[in-house]
Amino acid sequence: MARGKLRIYLGAAPGVGKTYAMLSEAHRRVERGTDAVVAFVEHHGRPRTEVMLHGLEQIHRRELEYRGTVFTEMDVDAVLERAPAVALVDELAHTNVPGSRNGKRWQDIEELLEAGIDVISTVNIQHLESLGDVVESITGVRQRETVPDEVVRRADQIELVDMSPQAIRRRMAHGNIYQSDKVDAALSNYFRPGNLTALRELALLWVADRVDEYLQEYRAEHSIRSTWQARERIVVGLTGGPEGRTLIRRAARMAAKGSGSEVLAVYIARSDGLTSASPKELAVQRKLVEDLGGTFHHVIGDDIPSALLDFARGVNATQIVLGSSRRKAWQYIFGPGVGATVARESGPDLDVHIVTHDEVAKGRGLPVARGARLGRTRIITGWLVGVVGPVLLSLLLTGIGNGPGLANDVLLFLFLTVVAALLGGQLPALASAAVGSLLLNFYFTPPTHTLTVSDPKNIVAIVVFFAVAVSVASVVDLAARRTHQAARLRAESEILSFLAGSVLRGETTLDALLERVRETFGMETVALLERAGDVEPWTCAGRAGSDHGTPLLRPEDADVDMPVGDHMALALTGRVLPAEDRRVLAAFAAQAAVVLDRQRLVGEAERARALAEGNRIRTALLAAVSHDLRTPLAGIKASVTSLRSDDVAWSPEDEAELLAGIEAGADRLDHLVGNLLDMSRLQTGTVTPLIRETDLDEVVPMALGGVPEDSVTLDIPEELPIVAVDPGLLERAVANLVENAVKYSPDGAAVLVSASALGDRVELRIADRGPGVPDSAKDRIFEPFQRYGDAPRGAGVGLGLAVARGFAEAMGGTLAAEDTPGGGMTMVLTLRAVPGGPQVMPDLPAQATT
């Protein structure tokens, strides 16, 4: 069965119309005959949204009871049984009530997609996991409900539901989003114009990135090489020279003029000889690029202008920034230079900027090396000089009367042979020697215009000329080959040095390394394949690039494969690499295998750490069960046995005492088991606070029911701000803190429970007069199954403070221990105050959140 398709309506804030747009799309599909149902849609009391539900089939929701309240969630089984073509599921980032089939709603949606059901859903930009810190810095509110970015990115369609901040605030003022009594608080807090503008920009940029991914995939699938100027991408060509910093800063200023522009700095190491680059300077420039928000790329290319243009077109760049040449005037005899060549061959789709700098015309430091890999133009020029040149020289010399003499003629022909060797290599030089020998014999050796030689001295001269010409051509060609090899080795050493540096810098993700391989060798796809045995099928451990057609399943299907051990191989598609490139590729392949092993070892270490922590918890739990839980059970058992005994006639007072003992033991056992369950929920991350506006004087007195009345002094001012908490979790946390304080306080010394406001926070302080705790142990007492000092074994399992801190953090608060002035310890519980008086948090509707 084919997997269903996911369509997501993405918004910048609540109330932009995501659910309304989703329901409108459902009505359109129903009118076209599509079987669409409402699996779960929450209208939040908005009349216009509620009206859109009319005429659509709705799947009955599943009811779940949690902490005495009944909640409704999507019934996944009912939707699967109904098996519609399209299911509408609102609020992708929603956290399900404990006891549901899955912890998160996006996991429910995954089940529907796997069953072949198309799903339409909604989500706000602030719920994306990667943007949590950014949203908190903008709005001051930490989003408890998040969804992994990859879940949204995998969607087949993402549609942005956009609305200006002014329009959202007007909708809010008209009561189209929240109830009228909550409008003022929402407009002055979460829905401020600045907040909405920033969230809108986040949504637009995130969707733009996603659109750019679609564009890259489309261009790759259709082999489109020309630039589509949908977004400004500025490529900076670096040589490793000191002018690179100027170019990077200039490109960054250009990018700052347009929102969403990117800067990509590229250093191209060419194998046929490049100006020596300082590794230290390249490291400085790399850091500068990354500090300015750009990316650094290292590419090998035999021809720098072509490699630079290929890279720019490959990333769909719109502009190239290059520096003015550092060559001196005489150095232009070697060619027009990179800048002029790139500008000439860039075409109409790429703008080339030549930036001046302080190093212009100061020289390139080292001469340009001659490589064995010559371009077509140089080879043709070498053949023209080697073959046509001697003919033209012969015509010139025969037109000069007596001429310079045979010795000078030989030197002139030898000069052409050397020039042919320098330009075109060995073959044009050998051809020049042969043609020159024939022309010397025919035109300049008596008798002329014949191939015979009358004077033996002339025969010696021609033979010596040919031998010297061949020797010079061989020496020049050998020198060029050695230069090429040296340049090649230098380029390889730069790549290997960069590879080693990336490891030291911590760039050890497999995807990043494979992408680096793809960029370095200019390939389309790079994949790391592995298998368990010689006859087992290959599996892909990691890949970079996009497949055109059938994905790589075997190393044999690739253009280049590099074995790594017996059961692993690096496979590349795009072109066939020369043999000399395989040395560098082998280093990359070995590093890829090391990175893969490291990632797996890190994962195994995390799992081992989790298992060790679980074993520690289980060991402590067994100790608690074996002693602390058995103590109240033993007391209950003894009292029940006594009451059931026929040998003793118990008086009403004795029976009442025994029953009181049973009740006390049961209460104690219930408290211990409750703490164990709470700790288990905290460890597994299933604590789900239901945030409400609450007065402390309503919750704190209820938390004192488990201690004697005269053991606590309560000081809660009536003018305290309202706090945003889960009343149930707050009551449990305060009860644990008070019971712990009473347990350690001496007789006659009451525990003081006081509260005060501090800015946007409210502090609840529980102070005792016990022995106190040294600073070195203040953090350790909050760990599970910890008792401080000589606390008796029957005093509890050591979970009270751990549970209290866990509940405090789940509600967005903190819990810390301080010394009580005059002796003792004070627990400081800090909670979030609701600013401006009673109001409902706009980003936290009346439903379960995490």
Side-chain angles (χ1 to χ4, degrees), residues 627-628 668 743-744 787-798:
H627 188 280
D628 297 294
R668 181 180 172 190
K743 178 172 60 179
Y744 286 99
R787 295 186 186 86
Y788 180 73
D790 57 353
R793 291 293 300 177
V797 294

Side-chain angles (χ1 to χ4, degrees), residues 553-814:
L553 299 178
R554 300 180 304 166
E556 295 81 4
D557 299 332
D559 296 320
V560 181
D561 68 284
M562 174 59 65
V564 187
D566 296 331
H567 302 122
M568 188 176 293
L570 191 64
L572 302 88
T573 60
R575 63 188 178 93
V576 178
L577 291 179
E580 54 265 30
D581 283 340
R582 295 182 68 87
R583 289 194 297 269
V584 178
L585 183 61
F588 273 110
Q591 181 61 28
V594 171
V595 169
L596 180 61
D597 289 341
R598 183 182 297 115
Q599 287 184 351
R600 289 174 174 172
L601 288 174
V602 169
E604 291 177 2
E606 290 295 332
R607 289 191 292 272
R609 189 177 299 111
L611 289 174
E613 179 65 17
N615 287 334
R616 189 183 70 82
I617 296 295
R618 280 191 291 272
T619 301
L621 178 60
L622 289 174
V625 171
S626 64
H627 188 280
D628 297 294
L629 296 182
R630 292 180 63 183
T631 301
L633 282 176
I636 294 173
K637 174 66 174 177
S639 298
V640 171
T641 302
S642 299
L643 288 174
R644 289 174 55 89
S645 175
D646 297 332
D647 300 334
V648 181
W650 300 103
S651 66
E653 293 78 9
D654 293 335
E655 289 183 356
E657 184 178 353
L658 290 174
L659 290 173
I662 293 174
E663 183 179 10
D667 290 341
R668 181 180 172 190
L669 185 62
D670 178 69
H671 179 72
L672 293 175
V673 172
N675 274 342
L676 288 171
L677 293 177
D678 289 339
M679 196 66 232
S680 175
R681 292 166 57 210
L682 289 171
Q683 291 285 341
T684 56
T686 57
V687 173
T688 309
L690 302 174
I691 304 299
R692 296 288 185 273
E693 299 170 3
T694 306
D695 285 325
L696 282 182
D697 56 4
E698 296 178 359
V699 177
V700 175
M702 298 174 59
L704 307 181
V707 297
E709 294 182 2
D710 57 349
S711 62
V712 177
T713 301
L714 196 60
D715 181 16
I716 307 293
E718 295 182 358
E719 63 274 10
L720 277 180
I722 295 175
V723 293
V725 296
D726 181 321
L729 296 186
L730 178 61
E731 180 184 345
R732 293 292 299 275
V734 173
N736 282 353
L737 295 175
V738 171
E739 290 176 8
N740 185 77
V742 170
K743 178 172 60 179
Y744 286 99
S745 291
D747 295 337
V751 172
L752 176 61
V753 178
S754 60
S756 60
L758 183 63
D760 60 346
R761 301 280 172 173
V762 172
E763 284 189 353
L764 184 67
R765 309 176 74 89
I766 298 94
D768 64 56
R769 291 296 179 179
V773 174
D775 293 340
S776 59
K778 280 187 171 63
D779 285 333
R780 193 167 65 250
I781 61 176
F782 292 103
E783 296 179 3
F785 302 104
Q786 295 292 323
R787 295 186 186 86
Y788 180 73
D790 57 353
R793 291 293 300 177
V797 294
L799 287 177
L801 296 182
V803 170
R805 171 173 276 189
F807 284 170
E809 294 176 348
M811 294 184 293
T814 60

Side-chain angles (χ1 to χ4, degrees), residues 103-177:
K104 304 287 287 186
R105 183 163 293 164
W106 64 263
Q107 295 171 327
D108 295 337
I109 291 177
E110 282 293 319
E111 289 196 36
L112 301 183
L113 295 174
E114 290 296 332
I117 300 174
D118 294 346
V119 176
I120 304 178
S121 188
T122 64
V123 70
N124 282 330
I125 192 67
Q126 63 264 31
H127 294 297
L128 296 183
E129 199 167 73
S130 65
L131 300 179
D133 295 338
V134 179
V135 172
E136 184 178 12
S137 66
I138 294 171
T139 65
V141 177
R142 183 69 181 184
Q143 297 297 326
R144 299 294 175 184
E145 292 187 324
T146 59
V147 59
D149 289 45
E150 185 60 27
V151 174
V152 183
R153 288 186 179 276
R154 286 201 305 263
D156 300 277
Q157 296 182 60
I158 299 176
E159 182 171 332
L160 178 66
V161 182
D162 190 26
M163 183 177 290
S164 68
Q166 294 77 13
I168 296 178
R169 287 173 60 83
R170 282 197 301 271
R171 291 194 65 197
M172 176 70 71
H174 294 159
N176 294 332
I177 299 177

